[in-house]
Amino acid sequence: MAKDLIHNAVREALENDGWTVVRDPFTVDLTGDDTYFDIDLAAEKKMSDGGVVRIAAIEIKSFTGLSILYAFHEALGQFLNYRAALDEEGFNMELYLAVSVEGWERISELSFIQRRIRQFQLKFILADIHTKTIVEWIS
């Protein structure tokens, strides 16, 4: 599996935000099936007393290609399949698409994509890949 161009910057941004990456990649192997998915990351964020606050599966996308619509089409398919696989296998974790601020600006320009984001209830992490910081969580 090839890592996205911004993979390492997003991982570092998450770590800078207090997250611990527990799997890179995070493989979801469907029980009784010959199907598995490699989601880019699994991460958790703990409270200071050690209790887990959040657990997330994170797919990273840069949206740098010539066709933003095609790149979104691919990301949407992955997101829906990954969410279904996590549900089927009983993982109690949120799924996010991590994108750069620039990538978010590209997909935000198309109203068709914004309607699909709302329709399918996609969740995003916006990362500044230059400063390696998390800018926003969009649920």
Side-chain angles (χ1 to χ4, degrees):
M1 168 182 86
K3 292 182 179 181
D4 194 276
L5 295 172
I6 64 170
H7 182 99
N8 292 335
V10 169
R11 180 182 173 141
E12 194 171 333
L14 286 164
E15 292 169 341
N16 290 340
D17 197 48
W19 287 79
T20 301
V21 173
V22 294
R23 297 279 189 276
D24 181 358
F26 172 47
T27 301
V28 179
D29 194 355
L30 297 176
T31 305
D33 204 336
D34 289 334
T35 303
Y36 71 92
F37 296 108
D38 281 333
I39 302 171
D40 287 322
L41 302 172
E44 64 184 21
K45 189 169 187 176
K46 295 182 180 182
M47 295 180 0
S48 58
D49 66 3
V52 174
V53 173
R54 270 173 110 175
I55 301 172
I58 302 158
E59 181 63 19
I60 301 167
K61 295 293 178 196
S62 60
F63 295 107
T64 57
L66 294 177
S67 172
I68 297 304
L69 191 56
Y70 181 80
F72 179 77
H73 170 78
E74 181 179 45
L76 175 62
Q78 283 180 288
F79 187 93
L80 295 175
N81 285 326
Y82 293 171
R83 185 167 60 190
L86 290 169
D87 288 344
E88 284 181 22
E89 294 304 307
F91 286 100
N92 185 23
M93 58 195 336
E94 297 175 273
L95 176 62
Y96 287 88
L97 284 173
V99 300
S100 67
V101 172
E102 295 83 3
W104 177 253
E105 289 170 357
R106 284 186 204 104
I107 64 174
S108 294
E109 291 175 352
L110 297 174
S111 58
F112 177 84
I113 291 176
Q114 289 304 305
R115 290 192 305 273
R116 298 301 72 80
I117 288 170
R118 288 188 300 276
Q119 177 184 2
F120 295 109
Q121 301 173 354
L122 305 184
K123 298 177 180 183
F124 287 86
I125 302 168
L126 303 187
D128 183 322
I129 60 169
H130 307 290
T131 62
K132 296 181 179 62
T133 56
I134 299 301
V135 175
E136 186 176 359
W137 294 77
I138 301 173
S139 295

